Amino acid sequence: MEPLAVGTHSCNTLGKLRPNESVVVFGAGPVGLVCMATARAMGAKRVIAVDIVPSRLEFAKSYAATDVYLPVSMNPGEDKLKYSERNAQAMREQLGIEDRGPNSIDLVIEASGAEVSIRTGMFIARIGGRFVQV
């Protein structure tokens, strides 16, 4: 029951998700999955699941996500900030995400707790977008 409450609170109360918006959820564990399902139930047009475990992405795609993204690998000696920027750029290119307009990300929900996911989420949100740390 608690993950459902967290998903609802994250999407509705904190994220102020509106129908026809696009959402990225970092972390395809129980809380992330419930956030994805809640976003879809609230009318999100696009829900992108991000995780480093391919099997979790497969399940997310069959469960609630419209798209999935497996982050690129970190280069040897690359600092986390540069990696996060590069990862966000790769995500934009692979999924056709823009900084503004109908192909931008309105809401980022970060449910992994990983530093690079938090930073990537900040880079991937549209200008004026919303970010919720679960």
Side-chain angles (χ1 to χ4, degrees), residues 26-95:
F26 286 84
V31 172
L33 289 167
V34 171
C35 288
M36 290 175 219
T38 302
R40 288 293 296 270
M42 291 180 67
K45 71 175 176 185
R46 190 173 190 192
V47 177
I48 302 169
V50 180
D51 204 288
I52 59 172
V53 181
S55 61
R56 284 185 173 210
L57 292 176
E58 288 174 27
F59 182 78
K61 179 79 172 169
S62 71
Y63 179 65
T66 59
D67 302 276
V68 296
Y69 177 73
L70 181 67
V72 298
S73 297
M74 196 170 196
N75 293 329
E78 185 175 32
D79 72 31
K80 291 178 181 178
L81 180 59
K82 293 288 184 197
Y83 168 72
S84 297
E85 287 179 295
R86 186 171 61 82
N87 190 36
Q89 184 58 38
M91 190 173 175
R92 277 189 198 90
E93 291 169 5
Q94 183 178 328
L95 298 173

Side-chain angles (χ1 to χ4, degrees), residues 99-117:
D99 289 334
R100 299 181 167 93
N103 295 324
S104 63
I105 301 302
D106 301 292
L107 174 62
V108 173
I109 297 178
E110 205 299 307
S112 74
E115 178 184 346
V116 294
S117 293

Side-chain angles (χ1 to χ4, degrees), residues 13 18 28 30 63 70 86 90 93 98 102 118 131:
T13 308
R18 295 180 293 274
Y63 179 65
L70 181 67
R86 186 171 61 82
E93 291 169 5
E98 299 172 355
I118 296 166
F131 182 94

